[in-house]
Each structure stands twice: as structure tokens, then as C-alpha cells.
């Protein structure tokens, strides 16, 4: 999740080390997060739960009493990275035996006790719904036992926990609105690692966003595996649970959050093509502060592959949703996720993905080779039979094409003025600031008199496929 902190980097599985906070004398917690924005957001919940036990976070693993690694299982290579990292910590324990090493998140849920028993890599295993139990689990380890809690819950949303912000920006933040996923896409491990979908109380979401705004944050990204299925006080079939209380759907939740302040930008991720309604699109169009950017993963351009993936929509349906976005929110940026080499994918089916890319011309895409995951529907039903080199060639082909599309998309800003929220210094130079425009494109410019958290107008003079470069025109 960075969640986006760079959501981009997070989604690519980059590790982010959590930043230091407070009390030099208390116990020290070091957290490292992998995977999606949800994990990054959860690490902040964990820091909050443990802060009540006297822990402050540190960026220096050398001074840590407890090390927690929040992990991802989405593809095999995500797990391999974590295993290498855990082996490192295992070695560290040889000369620091009192160090507690714990594994959190999706790998913890998937592998459960195996990580303690067979692989002997860690002292503590806590699944995504058991973080309230961490103080007890750490205590159990302290008394010489190995500790595990991987129970999944139907209602845990950590709604009442005010996360401790671990990123340095102080300007942009992730806010979870749902947990789990009920979709069962055949390739995906998330329903097994995160459990059933549940929505968080809208009042607590509003409160968290309002508090962030009051503390100087200027952008929130509402997070869920499928934000369009957010529903409060309603069953999955749309029946009202408690007739004396109001119901809230995703469109209504966005209205509520957009009303906090015109100065607070709202983003959201991830939208699902089968559930994204025109009502949601109209809310985006209506509110200046709801960003014109939708991440709408398609996975494949071929309807038969989409059926095997159990995605719940066809190529035509997806194109209809793209048309709806362009009709209701002209100029809206759209990005996607694509998987190459899914089970039985033929050359013709792959060509349908290429043709869909040419038809939609996404502004940006995350692209992956299919990686078979244990227990998923695809693992049980189909053969992972596209050879590795073919998966790789198809991936290279779509990456090369997307590169051209991303560059073209960014070229449309040349000579125009874009509104950017300043997030902080650019990676390359302390004299430049970096932020994103409404459409989520990273924009870099010489900082002038602007400061972090300002909205500024930038005239775009150059661009790459990933970045806009420009000059500061006005501080708003
Ligand atoms: N809930 C989001 C996706 C979360 S996972 C959605 O439905 O869009 C992020 C992305 O990882 C997916 O969109 C998919 O493109 C990719 N992914 C998931 N499982 C994968 C697998 N087994 N192999 C390769 N890529 C996978
Ligand atoms: Fe996985 Fe599909 Fe749920 Fe996304 S919607 S998390 S891809 S099962
Ligand atoms: Fe996220 Fe990875 Fe789990 S993508 S939900 S951390 S499997």
C-alpha cells in the first residue's frame, strides 16, 4: 500500500521501512512492509496498537527490540524476497537472541505455523485480523514460547484505531475502508489471506480523514480490494441490516469525505469493472477535490480468459465502463493491471490484450507474469501451462507498448498548466519539489517559494513516460 507512498512502488512489492518516532528510552519497534497499500496502512495500525504498550518505532534495526515484517503473497517472487529478508534476521538473532522477530500479513496467514515449525525463521506469526493480539503474542515470545494467531475475522476493521503515520510526507495518506475480498478471481490468493470482505463504519472513516486534514494532510486514498463494493449497514445482496440506521454505499462515502474540505484531495483504489457504477462516476465528476483518476484493473483483453479468471465481466463490459468514464468525466486518467501467460492463454488471446491496450490506451499499467498460487481456483482447476519464456516475451511486449502509451498520455500535458499538490523534495534534487497532478502523474519542478502541502500551478515543459517536468507558475 506506501501505500502509494508511492502506491506505485508498493504495488511493485518494494519494501518501505517505517520512520522513527518518539521516546528514546522505551522499547523499540522496527516494521518493514511489503506488498500493497493495505499492508502499509495495516503497519500503521500495528504501530498504534503497540504504542499503547510503550513501543516507539525506529528506522534503525540495530536498536530494535521487536522486528515485524508485514508480508505479501500475491506472486511467488514477493514471498521469495521476504524469505531472503527473514533469513537475514535469523542470522541477526544469533548474536542478539532476545530480539523478537515476527511475520505479519498475507504470508503469515498463508503459511501459518509452517514458518515457525518447518522453516524456523521467526518467533511470532500474526495474520491480518489478529493485530490486536500482538501485545499478548510478543509477551508469549518473551516467556519462551513461539506465538501464532492466524484467525480470520468476519468483522474486524480496526475501525476505532487511529493509525500512527509512518511515512515522512505528512501530506498524503492511505485510509482503509474495507478489508478482505469476496470475489474469488481464480488466480488470486487475497481471499485466502485476507478473508471475507467487510466494510468499515463510515463515521470512523470520516473522523480519520478529518483528523488527518486537521494535522496538515491534504490527500487521502481510500483503500479496499474492491472499493465499489463498500456498503455499510447492508448485506452483500443489498438488504438493509438495521432499518433504524442509515446505509452508505461507496458513492455516498465519497460524498461524505469530499465534504470535509475542498482543500482535501480524495483518491481511491481499487475499482472493480464489474461493480463500478455511474453513480460513483458522477460523484467524481461533481467534486473538484475527488481526483480524476481511476485504477480499473482489466487483467486480460480476452473474454474467455476473463471467464477462466472468474473476473465477472467481458471485454465488452469493460469497454462499456471505459466509455462511461470518458462520457461522465472527460479527461479522466485511467490505469490498469494486466497479467500475461495465464493458464491456457493462446497467442490469439494474448493478441486480444494487445488490441485492448491499443483501443483503451491506458495512461499507466502495472503488468505481471502469471504466478500460480497454492489453493487458488486456478491452481486446482487449470494447468499453469504457458512456458516461462513465453510469459516473459508476452510481458515484454505489453510493457513496451504501454511505455509508448504512457509517454503519449503525458505528452498531452505539454504546454498546459497542471494543479499539483506538493508532497516534498524530488528524489533527484533538493532544489526541486515533487507532487502529483489531479490525474496522478508525478510532476517535478524547481520549488521557488512553494512549500510542502501547497497546491501550485505548474506549466509542463518536458515529460517522460513516468514524469512531468515544469516550472512553477503560481502558489494557490
Ligand atoms: N483487488 C485488486 C487487485 C489486487 S492484487 C483487483 O481486483 O483489481 C494486484 C494485482 O496483482 C492484480 O490486479 C493482478 O493483476 C496481480 N495479481 C494477482 N494475483 C496474481 C498472480 N497470481 N499472478 C500474477 N499477478 C497477479
Ligand atoms: Fe484478488 Fe480479485 Fe479480490 Fe482483486 S478482486 S483481491 S484480484 S480476488
Ligand atoms: Fe496486498 Fe499482497 Fe496481501 S497485494 S492483500 S499484501 S497478498
Amino acid at each position: 500500500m506506501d501505500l502509494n507512498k508511492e502506491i506505485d512502488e508498493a504495488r511493485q512489492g518494494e519494501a518501505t521501512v517505517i520512520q522513527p518516532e518518539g521516546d528514546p528510552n522505551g522499547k523499540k519497534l522496527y516494521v518493514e512492509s511489503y506488498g500493497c497499500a493495505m499492508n502499509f496502512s495495516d503497519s500503521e495500525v500495528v504501530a498504534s496498537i503497540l504504542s499503547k504498550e510503550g513501543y516507539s518505532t525506529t528506522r534503525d534495526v540495530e536498536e530494535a527490540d521487536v522486528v515485524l515484517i508485514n508480508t505479501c503473497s500475491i506472486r511467488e517472487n514477493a514471498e521469495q524476497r521476504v524469505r531472503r529478508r527473514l533469513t537475514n534476521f535469523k542470522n541477526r538473532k544469533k548474536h542478539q537472541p532476545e530480539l523478537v522477530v515476527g511475520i505479519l500479513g498475507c504470508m503469515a496467514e498463508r503459511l501459518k505455523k509452517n514458518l515457525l515449525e518447518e522453516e524456523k525463521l521467526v518467533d511470532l506469526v500474526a495474520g491480518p485480523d489478529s493485530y490486536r493480539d500482538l501485545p499478548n503474542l510478543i509477551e508469549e515470545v518473551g516467556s519462551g514460547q513461539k506465538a501464532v494467531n492466524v484467525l480470520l475475522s468476519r468483522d474486524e476493521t480496526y475501525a476505532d484505531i487511529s493509525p500512527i503515520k509512518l511515512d515522512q510526507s505528512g501530506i498524503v495518506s492511505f485510509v482503509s475502508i474495507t478489508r478482505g475480498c469476496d470475489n474469488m478471481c481464480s488466480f488470486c490468493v487475497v481471499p485466502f489471506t485476507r478473508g471475507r470482505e467487510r466494510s468499515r463504519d463510515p463515521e470512523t472513516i470520516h473522523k480519520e480523514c478529518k483528523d488527518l486534514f486537521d494535522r496538515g494532510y491534504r490527500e487521502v486514498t481510500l483503500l479496499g480490494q474492491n472499493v465499489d463494493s463498500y456498503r455499510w449497514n447492508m448485506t452483500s445482496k443489498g438488504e438493509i441490516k438495521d432499518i433504524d440506521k442509515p446505509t452508505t454505499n461507496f458513492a455516498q462515502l465519497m460524498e461524505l469525505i469530499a465534504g470535509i474540505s475542498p482543500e482535501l484531495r480524495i483518491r481511491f483504489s481499487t475499482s472493480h469493472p464489474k461493480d463500478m457504477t455511474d453513480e460513483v462516476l458522477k460523484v467524481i465528476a461533481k467534486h473538484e477535490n475527488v481526483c480524476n483518476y481511476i485504477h480499473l484493473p482489466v487483467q486480460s483483453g480476452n473474454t474467455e480468459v476473463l471467464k477462466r479468471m472468474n473476473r465477472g465481466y467481458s471485454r465488452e463490459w469493460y469497454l462499456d465502463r471505459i466509455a462511461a468514464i470518458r462520457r461522465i468525466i472527460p479527461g479522466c486518467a485511467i490505469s490498469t493491471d494486466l497479467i500475461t501467460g495465464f493458464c491456457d492463454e493462446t497467442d490469439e488471446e494474448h493478441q486480444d490484450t494487445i488490441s485492448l491496450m491499443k483501443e483503451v490506451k491506458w495512461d499507466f499499467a502495472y503488468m505481471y507474469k502469471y504466478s500460480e498460487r497454492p489453493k487458488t481456483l486456478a491452481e486446482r482447476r487449470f494447468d499453469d501451462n504457458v512456458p516461462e519464456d513465453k510469459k516473459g516475451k508476452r510481458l515484454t511486449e505489453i510493457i513496451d507498448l504501454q511505455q509508448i502509451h504512457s509517454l503519449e498520455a503525458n505528452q498531452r500535458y505539454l504546454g498546459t498548466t497542471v494543479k499539483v499538490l506538493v508532497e516534498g523534495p524530488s528524489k533527484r534534487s533538493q532544489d526541486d519539489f515533487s507532487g502529483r497532478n489531479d490525474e496522478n502523474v508525478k510532476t517535478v519542478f524547481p520549488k521557488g517559494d512553494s512549500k510542502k502541502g501547497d497546491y501550485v500551478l505548474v506549466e509542463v515543459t518536458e515529460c517522460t513516460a513516468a514524469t512531468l517536468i515544469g516550472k512553477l507558475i503560481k502558489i494557490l
Side-chain angles (χ1 to χ4, degrees):
M1 130 149 2
D2 121 330
L3 195 84
N4 280 245
K5 344 6 121 245
E6 296 288 323
I7 195 167
D8 306 6
E9 285 179 10
R11 291 179 54 100
Q12 304 293 8
E14 294 297 317
T16 288
V17 175
I18 266 144
Q19 314 298 326
E21 290 227 343
D23 186 1
N25 304 316
K27 291 172 281 182
K28 292 278 195 297
L29 165 70
Y30 172 92
V31 189
E32 214 169 86
S33 304
Y34 294 80
C36 67
M38 200 67 82
N39 258 11
F40 288 78
S41 170
D42 280 0
S43 292
E44 300 184 334
V45 166
V46 167
S48 176
I49 290 169
L50 288 176
S51 75
K52 305 213 164 58
E53 305 293 313
Y55 283 89
S56 59
T57 51
T58 174
R59 282 185 92 184
D60 182 2
V61 65
E62 298 289 335
E63 59 174 29
D65 302 289
V66 174
V67 167
L68 297 175
I69 315 289
N70 200 352
T71 62
C72 174
S73 290
I74 201 84
R75 286 167 291 276
E76 201 185 344
N77 56 13
E79 290 200 354
Q80 279 162 356
R81 279 185 74 194
V82 170
R83 268 176 218 281
R84 285 194 294 272
R85 197 67 183 126
L86 287 176
T87 313
N88 264 334
F89 286 113
K90 197 177 167 188
N91 292 336
R92 179 177 293 275
K93 269 181 76 88
K94 285 188 190 136
H95 46 90
Q96 196 186 341
E98 70 290 353
L99 179 70
V100 176
V101 178
I103 181 168
L104 315 178
C106 292
M107 243 177 114
E109 192 61 50
R110 198 179 81 69
L111 295 165
K112 303 187 167 56
K113 288 197 304 243
N114 291 356
L115 287 158
L116 298 175
E117 290 169 0
E118 286 159 33
E119 310 189 29
K120 297 197 169 50
L121 285 172
V122 293
D123 309 302
L124 178 163
V125 178
D129 289 343
S130 65
Y131 299 149
R132 286 182 204 266
D133 197 25
L134 275 169
N136 300 327
L137 295 171
I138 291 172
E139 208 177 293
E140 272 177 45
V141 174
S143 64
Q145 304 160 56
K146 298 277 178 187
V148 188
N149 185 342
V150 286
L151 288 176
L152 285 173
S153 156
R154 280 186 162 254
D155 47 29
E156 177 64 274
T157 57
Y158 302 112
D160 55 313
I161 293 178
S162 172
I164 289 188
K165 290 290 138 195
L166 297 167
D167 68 296
Q168 269 178 329
S169 97
I171 303 296
V172 299
S173 177
F174 295 102
V175 174
S176 295
I177 64 164
T178 67
R179 295 183 72 81
C181 185
D182 282 352
N183 278 330
M184 291 306 231
C185 300
S186 64
F187 52 79
C188 186
V189 77
V190 172
F192 302 93
T193 61
R194 292 268 165 180
R196 298 304 299 269
E197 183 185 280
R198 59 224 104 118
S199 296
R200 177 177 171 191
D201 182 339
E203 272 178 38
T204 67
I205 299 170
H206 183 272
K207 180 175 181 305
E208 187 176 332
C209 294
K210 172 85 172 57
D211 287 350
L212 286 166
F213 180 73
D214 292 343
R215 282 159 51 200
Y217 283 77
R218 289 294 173 265
E219 182 183 298
V220 290
T221 301
L222 307 178
L223 281 185
Q225 294 299 347
N226 175 358
V227 289
D228 299 296
S229 63
Y230 176 86
R231 53 176 84 74
W232 178 249
N233 193 22
M234 276 182 276
T235 65
S236 53
K237 297 194 183 88
E239 293 144 358
I240 299 175
K241 286 187 188 163
D242 181 344
I243 48 160
D244 295 328
K245 290 194 181 142
T247 60
T248 310
N249 64 19
F250 181 56
Q252 293 161 334
L253 178 72
M254 274 218 289
E255 290 260 27
L256 182 71
I257 307 302
I260 290 175
S261 165
E263 297 291 300
L264 181 69
R265 265 185 176 178
I266 321 292
R267 298 187 188 276
F268 49 91
S269 188
T270 304
S271 304
H272 198 299
K274 81 177 163 63
D275 296 320
M276 190 188 66
T277 59
D278 287 4
E279 186 193 1
V280 166
L281 300 179
K282 285 176 190 156
V283 172
I284 302 169
K286 178 174 149 195
H287 293 277
E288 178 71 26
N289 59 334
V290 178
C291 291
N292 288 348
Y293 167 62
I294 300 179
H295 182 59
L296 195 67
V298 69
Q299 316 298 356
S300 165
N302 176 275
T303 297
E304 288 308 311
V305 175
L306 290 170
K307 264 190 210 153
R308 294 202 289 281
M309 288 178 164
N310 202 26
R311 284 290 288 180
Y313 55 85
S314 62
R315 176 186 174 107
E316 289 67 35
W317 175 276
Y318 187 89
L319 283 169
D320 171 78
R321 294 292 75 210
I322 295 288
I325 296 172
R326 299 213 158 125
R327 186 174 65 243
I328 299 169
I329 322 165
C332 185
I334 310 172
S335 61
T336 202
D337 291 348
L338 292 164
I339 297 178
T340 62
F342 185 63
C343 311
D344 296 328
E345 186 188 61
T346 63
D347 285 333
E348 290 71 32
E349 289 170 341
H350 167 65
Q351 283 309 317
D352 283 345
T353 295
I354 300 276
S355 78
L356 189 68
M357 291 178 79
K358 290 180 178 163
E359 198 165 342
V360 177
K361 290 211 171 168
W362 287 286
D363 295 71
F364 187 83
Y366 299 93
M367 294 159 279
Y368 311 101
K369 276 194 282 187
Y370 173 57
S371 164
E372 186 177 77
R373 309 309 294 131
K375 283 206 198 156
T376 55
L377 282 177
E379 190 238 10
R380 287 183 275 141
R381 273 191 205 157
F382 308 121
D383 272 350
D384 178 14
N385 54 4
V386 176
E388 203 48 35
D389 63 330
K390 193 166 250 184
K391 283 183 188 170
K393 274 196 192 129
R394 288 178 184 171
L395 181 64
T396 308
E397 197 183 342
I398 65 168
I399 289 175
D400 289 349
L401 181 59
Q402 183 55 45
Q403 193 72 2
I404 296 169
H405 292 166
S406 293
L407 181 61
E408 279 175 15
N410 287 351
Q411 280 168 341
R412 76 172 190 263
Y413 298 108
L414 288 175
T416 70
T417 299
V418 296
K419 184 176 168 183
V420 175
L421 170 62
V422 182
E423 289 174 31
S426 87
K427 279 191 191 143
R428 296 239 175 100
S429 162
Q430 284 294 317
D431 300 331
D432 291 345
F433 269 151
S434 168
R436 277 167 296 142
N437 70 358
D438 200 0
E439 292 80 11
N440 207 38
V441 188
K442 188 171 150 195
T443 308
V444 175
F445 58 94
K447 55 185 167 188
D449 292 332
S450 64
K451 55 184 192 318
K452 239 167 68 161
D454 282 345
Y455 285 101
V456 296
L457 294 180
V458 174
E459 187 186 317
V460 180
T461 51
E462 290 170 62
C463 74
T464 66
T467 311
L468 306 179
I469 300 147
K471 56 181 189 220
L472 179 64
I473 299 291
K474 193 174 177 193
I475 301 167
L476 295 171

